[in-house]
Amino acid sequence: MWRRGIVLAACAVLLTLVMVFHAEIPNTIGNLGSLSETFLPWFGVFVPLLLILGLVRRSATALIALLLPVVVWLNLFGGLLTDKSGSGGDLTVATHNVNAGNPDPAGTARKVAGSGADIIALQELPSGQVSTYEAALADRFPHHSVQGTVGLWSKYPMSNTRPVDIKMGWTRAMRSTVTTPKGEVAVYVAHMPSVRVKLHAGFTANQRDDSADALGEAIAHERLGKVILLGDLNGTMNDRSLNEVTSQMRSTQGAAGHGFGFSWPASSPMARIDQIMVKGVEPMSSWTLPATGSDHLPIAARIEL
């Protein structure tokens, strides 16, 4: 029972090393490091598989070695399994990539507005459907602005609204000052370039990475101390290529959510690439909203200013 399962034990050690040293996996070949970090929580799926094989082999060596990836996975993601949401808060925000091909834009807008949000950010707005979203949200949100393919709707006055250059050649990010009853808040809306996994090119994320750097620089130079970022970043909090943004902001899901809060794809969510991130304010709760006509799930958060 000690000599059996050496290969399984080696696989458990290898799985442990990948999770511990994921930041050392190079991005020079097909952005392999970012790809592994995008789906890092799913490496835990290999644990029950190795457990079953170890039991079948009746290998004490394999079962003991399996403790290594279990401990590492719990250290990385165990905190997400507990419910950290609290009560209270001053402001509810929501964000949604509505999908340019959405068959029901009006219904999608109403569903997101039904979350009770005070501020809503939408991404991937087709120019031909902007008026539909505006009409669906007009009663609840007297203030709004659409810049390129992203938009922001607010119950509170907006000012100093402008596009943010994220090095794409067209507008997919914006910034606005929202004057709430508790003071001014800088709200950014962003839709990072899409990423793809291709056999001949690997994880094609270079344009996304450059845009993330530009967005991080804009937020770093923000004059207001209270900042909220809403958007589809096409990357998770684990992805090192988003460090220019994630190093200076907190994820509401990580700080005050319950579970992983996966948002994409809507039919079978595997990653949280839609993000609500904050700086200078306190997240109180964070959650995923029901599916709409989009391939993304909307997400929301309650924030204390």
Side-chain angles (χ1 to χ4, degrees), residues 196-255:
R196 298 287 186 270
V197 180
K198 300 179 181 179
L199 290 177
H200 67 281
F203 192 53
T204 57
N206 292 337
Q207 189 179 21
R208 190 275 317 261
D209 300 348
D210 293 340
S211 291
D213 290 346
L215 178 63
E217 183 178 357
I219 293 173
H221 289 90
E222 172 58 49
R223 65 177 182 81
L224 294 180
K226 299 176 181 179
V227 185
I228 300 172
L229 170 62
L230 308 166
D232 174 7
L233 301 190
N234 270 309
T236 67
M237 293 296 294
N238 297 314
D239 190 338
R240 75 191 71 169
S241 295
L242 299 183
N243 279 351
E244 290 297 324
V245 177
T246 58
S247 63
Q248 57 179 318
M249 305 190 80
R250 300 173 67 192
S251 162
T252 59
Q253 183 67 24

Side-chain angles (χ1 to χ4, degrees), residues 54-126:
L55 292 173
V56 170
R57 289 284 291 157
R58 297 181 181 179
S59 169
T61 302
L63 294 177
I64 291 175
L66 194 58
L67 291 174
L68 295 174
V70 169
V71 170
V72 170
W73 191 93
L74 288 175
N75 181 63
L76 289 173
F77 303 110
L80 294 174
L81 301 179
T82 59
D83 187 356
K84 298 178 291 299
S85 58
S87 58
D90 309 306
L91 190 70
T92 301
V93 298
T95 182
H96 190 26
N97 179 326
V98 297
N99 186 0
N102 193 317
D104 183 20
T108 294
R110 287 192 294 267
K111 283 185 177 180
V112 180
S115 65
D118 303 301
I119 295 174
I120 289 178
L122 301 180
Q123 304 89 49
E124 207 168 298
L125 291 168

Side-chain angles (χ1 to χ4, degrees), residues 25-42:
I25 300 175
N27 261 342
T28 51
I29 303 176
N31 287 306
L32 186 60
S34 287
L35 177 60
S36 63
E37 289 167 338
T38 297
F39 298 102
L40 194 60
W42 290 98

Side-chain angles (χ1 to χ4, degrees), residues 91-160:
L91 190 70
T92 301
V93 298
T95 182
H96 190 26
N97 179 326
V98 297
N99 186 0
N102 193 317
D104 183 20
T108 294
R110 287 192 294 267
K111 283 185 177 180
V112 180
S115 65
D118 303 301
I119 295 174
I120 289 178
L122 301 180
Q123 304 89 49
E124 207 168 298
L125 291 168
S127 58
Q129 293 182 352
V130 169
S131 60
T132 302
Y133 286 100
E134 289 175 331
L137 296 171
D139 291 341
R140 300 190 186 188
F141 301 92
H143 311 279
H144 87 280
S145 175
V146 174
Q147 305 281 333
T149 60
V150 297
L152 185 65
W153 279 259
S154 172
K155 293 182 179 180
Y156 305 118
M158 296 166 50
S159 61
N160 197 16

